[in-house]
Amino acid sequence: MKERKWFSKADCLVLCLLGLFAAAFFLWRAGASPGTAAVVTVEGETVLTVDLAACEAQETYTLPNGVELLAEAHTIRVAFSDCPDGLCMQAGVLSKAGDTAVCVPNRTVVSVVGSDRPVHAVTY
């Protein structure tokens, strides 16, 4: 009876490629520029712009549709929404350019936008 190997050479190659892809994605995401502003749209119209670069103290914003946003320490998040699944609240803290939270039932989008300056290096 032939003994079965747990991993073939092809399996190891696939695992290594997946690991490299995950590491590259992490490094790419870690290099994302910090957000400078949050743009809030309701039904496609911009209703609020929050300057995250100047946001030091905790501020609460209530939108006309009842969605509450909490901005503090250069971040923003959906603090309350009456939607049934609450996915917009589960999006968590938005702080980097490109971060987005969407509340489909309330037709609300919170997007963080950043500066146009490219990131040349990231150090830790």
Side-chain angles (χ1 to χ4, degrees):
M1 183 186 261
K2 190 173 183 179
E3 197 173 313
R4 185 178 187 284
K5 292 183 180 180
W6 285 100
F7 292 106
S8 69
K9 289 181 182 179
D11 293 337
C12 290
L13 179 64
V14 168
L15 288 174
C16 288
L17 288 174
L18 285 174
L20 286 173
F21 177 74
F25 179 76
F26 173 75
L27 291 174
W28 172 74
R29 184 67 183 134
S33 64
T36 56
V39 178
V40 182
T41 59
V42 176
E43 295 186 10
E45 294 184 26
T46 302
V47 295
L48 178 66
T49 302
V50 180
D51 184 9
L52 296 178
C55 183
E56 296 293 334
Q58 185 175 2
E59 296 181 43
T60 303
Y61 301 94
T62 303
L63 303 178
N65 58 7
V67 175
E68 289 183 10
L69 305 173
L70 180 65
E72 64 180 334
H74 308 287
T75 64
I76 193 165
R77 67 181 176 90
V78 179
F80 173 78
S81 177
D82 61 354
C83 58
D85 55 6
L87 289 177
C88 54
M89 292 182 285
Q90 293 175 16
V93 175
L94 311 175
S95 62
K96 295 186 185 289
D99 286 350
T100 303
V102 179
C103 183
V104 176
N106 289 316
R107 298 179 181 173
T108 303
V109 178
V110 180
S111 298
V112 177
V113 295
S115 64
D116 293 333
R117 292 175 286 162
V119 175
H120 295 289
V122 177
T123 60
Y124 293 97

